Amino acid sequence: MADREPPDRGDETRNERYDRNWTELLQELRVAQTGVQILFAFLLTLPFNERFATVTPAQKVTYIVTILCTAVATLFLIAPVSHHRILFRRGRKGQLVAVSSNLAGIGLWFLWMSVVGAVFLIFQVVVGLPWAIAASVAFVAAFIGVWYVMPTLKR
């Protein structure tokens, strides 16, 4: 990852680049972690709501899959912190940045799956299955387009 950067920072050493990449990654993770924490908190409260007892078995499956995706997103988005704690001051910043970047990518994938699952569940309960499918397909397309296609085209 870090070795593929353009040569516009010729005065930067490899370690300085790793430090900068790590700092930038942490900023990105702060945004993603906030989103996943809010979604996770919302999902954790649902089963304790009176109305949850009226959801169908299919909706309960959707809920379970969604909360599992959210838990996995949480796992991967917070994992770089644990890796940093273990590798701190061991001269492994390059490996830390590379692995953490991959973990963040996986975490983001599960985060958008969680959002789509939550949208699907809410739409299904509130307005029915056809609207839930339409909204979910629209969000899948939006996530793929905005999170992956747009930056890939700009690369």
Side-chain angles (χ1 to χ4, degrees):
M1 172 189 125
D3 293 332
R4 286 188 256 152
E5 287 195 27
D8 60 342
R9 295 182 185 243
D11 59 335
E12 187 177 53
T13 68
R14 180 178 294 244
N15 285 335
E16 288 171 337
R17 184 174 25 176
Y18 291 149
D19 287 341
R20 179 177 51 80
N21 289 161
W22 177 247
T23 300
E24 290 173 3
L25 180 62
L26 285 180
Q27 292 299 338
E28 294 165 2
L29 288 172
R30 283 185 184 107
V31 173
Q33 286 172 352
T34 301
V36 78
Q37 288 169 344
I38 291 168
L39 180 58
F40 205 23
F42 164 73
L43 290 171
L44 288 173
T45 64
L46 286 182
F48 302 103
N49 184 316
E50 282 182 35
R51 190 163 178 212
F52 193 79
T54 65
V55 299
T56 67
Q59 291 167 338
K60 286 181 181 176
V61 168
T62 301
Y63 172 78
I64 292 298
V65 169
T66 301
I67 201 154
L68 286 174
C69 283
T70 309
V72 172
T74 302
L75 169 76
F76 279 92
L77 290 172
I78 297 176
V81 175
S82 176
H83 286 234
H84 182 262
R85 283 291 93 212
I86 293 167
L87 297 174
F88 186 65
R89 293 187 179 152
R90 305 231 181 220
R92 312 282 292 277
K93 185 74 67 97
Q95 289 173 316
L96 177 65
V97 169
V99 168
S100 295
S101 179
N102 290 334
L103 292 169
I106 294 167
L108 287 172
W109 191 86
F110 278 99
L111 176 57
W112 74 258
M113 293 299 292
S114 302
V115 171
V116 169
V119 166
F120 180 83
L121 180 62
I122 291 166
F123 269 69
Q124 189 179 18
V125 169
V126 175
V127 292
L129 185 59
W131 282 103
I133 292 170
S136 298
V137 167
F139 270 98
V140 166
F143 274 112
I144 291 170
V146 174
W147 283 22
Y148 302 105
V149 174
M150 285 176 64
T152 300
L153 291 175
K154 292 182 181 199
R155 209 178 4 176

